[in-house]
Amino acid sequence: MKEEILFQPLKDLIDGLSEKRFSSVELTQTCIDRTQACEPKIKAFLSFDREKTLAEARASDERRSKGQTLSELDGIPIGLKDIFSEKGQPLTCASRMLEHYVSPYDATVVSRLKASGMVCWGRLNMDEFAMGSTSENSAFHVTCNPWDVTRIPGGSSSGSAAAVAAGEVPLALGTDTGGSIRQPAALCGVVGIKPTYGRVSRYGIVAFASSLDQAGVFTRTVSGAAQILQILCGPDLKDATSARRPVPDFCAEMQKNVGRRWKLGVPEEYFREGLDSEVKQSIEAAIDFYKRQGYLIQPIQLQTLEYGIPAYYVIASAEASSNLARYDGIRYTYRSPSAKTVEEVFARSRSERLGPEVKRRILLGLYVLSSGKYDSYFYDKAQKVRRLIYDDFQKAFQSVDAIVTPTSPTVATKIGEKSTPLSVYLSDIYTVSVSLAGLPALSIPCGFTASKLPIGLQLIGKPFEESTILSIAEAFESQHDYWQQKPPL
Ligand code: GLN
């Protein structure tokens, strides 16, 4: 079977299986072969289990032969960021702290994938505990960008974006706390969507910052993203923050919206200094495309943009310091062999196994939460700023249907190029405010630089209006062929 199929829209895979042009085992084996061929260069995976995966594919083929398929996605392979619990499989979060941990149960999203018959292929690399934007914080290895292997793939869902871009797997799950789906999607030239906070259950996903974490998906095309979201979204009693609201039929909504002329807001603050000129040109060309289609383009203001990064790093680090307290050397896998007292178990296990960025966030988080600092300077202030950011978006959404911005201020930089934590934090400028406001947002490929590096366009929607941004994204995708381009591997 030709690996070309792995670069096709999800619909072609579904049709191929249902018309019996190929089996799930053949499709899955194609992923495995492609992965083996690409991995020496890309290093998107942390681990994989061929036998388990092929057994799932065989089970799917058996269901199909008996006319008992669980859904139209039955038999389609999907990769998982190494942050999702999949029963019996390793889960490291790219940390030495969880090096030998095996999940005792399935995350809700994984149960949902399995209930629709999907085949889980591999555990994908990431920045340790999802803290980072480059994959350089993985405790195991750096993932390379398929478009230029000397460059970063973005992060923290680095392996998910790179694996889909390289055709190692047609789809992958990721998580986005401050941009970790959208930014790597942009840098690797694939579609990445983060739904509204609360749309997708967080149960069984390792927590980084619980008020921000949200799972989502990487795909080649927008309609594929809508189909997977349909499975992932919906209330879950095991997650108290999961939204108790019905999920619309995303594909049907998109169908209804074809030809609709939306009102798009363009925030001028997102086009100022720091934005790479080739990225800017490409985003402006996309906006121009929408204008020619008859969309109403309206300049708007989002003056809180510059407060996004400081507020995000205070809030996310505060929550992380609390969430990561559970890695104490008592539970989970690692305990320092040299520790003699209980204090030493805590201190040494954590010191020996957590990476420098994770330690930095824990220290920052504990500091901003400490008495005297909490209310007068940091955490309390950051929460107030968060509210202002939310209000800023709310105001903008009174006059527009969606907001269009660059996803990342630059294209993929060289591995090792960004040498200070601050320079990495600043690359999250266009994504973190959206997370603080809990809004749905996606990134789609909208062009390439002269040196053939992908550029991503971010579309931000009103709460729970994923269908709107999916529809607007598809209108662009249907008239451009960026998604069809393949990296030079
Ligand atoms: N880059 C951001 C950070 O390091 C976002 C990470 C994420 O969304 N998980 O926190």
Side-chain angles (χ1 to χ4, degrees):
M1 190 176 166
K2 293 226 175 72
E3 58 188 33
E4 272 316 300
I5 188 74
L6 300 172
F7 292 91
Q8 297 307 309
L10 177 57
K11 185 178 176 306
D12 292 13
L13 276 63
I14 295 173
D15 290 349
L17 286 172
S18 73
E19 290 159 16
K20 305 217 164 58
R21 275 186 275 121
F22 47 81
S23 66
S24 174
V25 168
E26 286 171 306
L27 180 59
T28 304
Q29 188 61 51
T30 309
C31 284
I32 295 175
D33 295 344
R34 175 82 186 161
T35 301
Q36 259 162 348
C38 293
E39 273 306 273
K41 280 191 181 164
I42 305 297
K43 300 189 286 241
F45 287 76
L46 283 172
S47 62
F48 38 68
D49 183 341
R50 284 186 201 83
E51 290 319 308
K52 177 221 77 133
T53 306
L54 284 168
E56 286 176 16
R58 267 193 302 277
S60 166
D61 286 337
E62 263 164 49
R63 285 192 294 273
R64 195 172 291 276
S65 69
K66 293 188 200 137
Q68 293 170 350
T69 47
L70 297 167
S71 77
E72 59 175 7
L73 292 157
D74 203 326
I76 304 272
I78 184 163
L80 302 179
K81 183 179 184 178
D82 202 21
I83 196 168
F84 293 94
S85 305
E86 181 188 359
K87 191 173 178 185
Q89 290 297 305
L91 184 167
T92 68
C93 250
S95 180
R96 297 239 174 248
M97 190 54 126
L98 290 175
E99 200 166 357
H100 303 292
Y101 179 73
V102 173
S103 298
Y105 62 90
D106 282 333
T108 295
V109 285
V110 173
S111 314
R112 290 187 182 194
L113 296 177
K114 288 186 176 168
S116 55
M118 294 187 75
V119 173
C120 296
W121 169 231
R123 312 282 316 170
L124 294 157
N125 196 21
M126 53 187 284
D127 287 293
E128 185 174 5
F129 286 109
M131 297 172 190
S133 315
T134 66
S135 89
E136 292 163 300
N137 295 338
S138 167
F140 301 106
H141 56 248
V142 177
T143 294
C144 304
N145 191 312
W147 292 91
D148 173 350
V149 293
T150 66
R151 290 176 188 269
I152 57 155
S156 66
S157 308
S158 323
S160 305
V164 172
E168 294 175 288
V169 68
L171 314 153
L173 292 193
T175 58
D176 189 313
T177 302
S180 282
I181 292 177
R182 293 161 283 156
Q183 184 257 19
L187 271 42
C188 288
V190 297
V191 175
I193 178 162
K194 172 200 104 78
T196 312
Y197 181 79
R199 250 309 184 212
V200 177
S201 166
R202 291 180 297 109
Y203 178 74
I205 304 174
V206 175
F208 161 12
S210 307
S211 77
L212 296 156
D213 297 343
Q214 187 58 198
V217 63
F218 291 87
T219 53
R220 203 150 287 285
T221 60
V222 176
S223 60
Q227 278 176 290
I228 305 300
L229 276 195
Q230 202 69 50
I231 299 178
L232 303 181
C233 293
D236 177 19
L237 290 173
K238 291 177 180 149
D239 173 2
T241 60
S242 122
R244 311 265 179 275
R245 29 158 106 207
V247 181
D249 181 333
F250 295 123
C251 293
E253 297 274 306
M254 285 163 73
Q255 202 61 43
K256 265 195 259 161
N257 287 335
V258 171
R260 191 161 161 186
R261 314 270 184 258
W262 302 88
K263 261 195 204 173
L264 297 184
V266 180
E268 51 179 298
E269 294 80 1
Y270 284 60
F271 292 82
R272 293 189 185 152
E273 75 275 21
L275 176 59
D276 175 271
S277 64
E278 279 186 291
V279 175
K280 185 169 180 214
Q281 263 175 23
S282 171
I283 303 298
E284 286 174 347
I287 295 171
D288 215 49
F289 162 82
Y290 283 119
K291 204 187 235 166
R292 289 198 309 275
Q293 298 293 304
Y295 284 50
L296 195 81
I297 307 296
Q298 185 171 317
I300 56 166
Q301 288 188 325
L302 287 173
Q303 287 172 342
T304 50
L305 174 71
E306 61 178 307
Y307 305 111
I309 290 191
Y312 168 83
Y313 277 90
V314 167
I315 293 169
S317 303
E319 293 184 21
S321 70
S322 162
N323 274 325
L324 270 65
R326 74 192 65 176
Y327 307 107
D328 54 8
I330 306 282
R331 293 162 291 178
Y332 307 100
T333 60
Y334 181 73
R335 179 173 305 168
S336 171
S338 67
K340 302 222 164 38
T341 64
V342 76
E343 284 80 8
E344 281 176 8
V345 169
F346 297 157
R348 292 195 187 174
S349 305
R350 288 165 74 80
S351 307
E352 287 165 23
R353 286 296 168 112
L354 295 174
E357 182 60 27
V358 174
K359 285 179 185 157
R360 187 176 298 117
R361 305 275 181 118
I362 291 173
L363 291 173
L364 181 64
L366 293 173
Y367 183 72
V368 299
L369 289 175
S370 58
S371 103
K373 303 287 181 304
Y374 174 98
D375 36 356
S376 48
Y377 295 109
F378 297 111
Y379 187 72
D380 205 36
K381 273 238 156 59
Q383 292 291 20
K384 288 180 180 152
V385 171
R386 183 176 192 173
R387 178 71 209 195
L388 293 177
I389 291 173
Y390 179 81
D391 290 346
D392 216 12
F393 277 109
Q394 284 290 90
K395 208 168 101 218
F397 280 127
Q398 284 171 5
S399 58
V400 297
D401 300 307
I403 295 170
V404 45
T405 75
T407 307
S408 162
T410 65
V411 289
T413 48
K414 292 267 183 196
I415 292 169
E417 182 179 330
K418 290 207 173 122
S419 51
T420 62
L422 188 62
S423 64
V424 178
Y425 298 173
L426 286 173
S427 66
D428 298 330
I429 177 104
Y430 302 139
T431 51
V432 290
S433 298
V434 178
S435 300
L436 287 167
L439 303 170
L442 57 77
S443 181
I444 47 164
C446 73
F448 289 91
T449 59
S451 50
K452 200 79 194 190
L453 293 170
I455 299 169
L457 175 85
Q458 177 171 238
L459 287 164
I460 308 164
K462 296 179 187 171
F464 300 101
E465 291 198 8
E466 288 82 8
S467 307
T468 304
I469 52 173
L470 288 164
S471 303
I472 297 170
E474 194 170 50
F476 183 86
E477 186 187 77
S478 65
Q479 303 291 318
H480 296 86
D481 67 355
Y482 300 120
W483 71 270
Q484 288 171 356
Q485 318 238 351
K486 280 169 64 179
L489 279 173

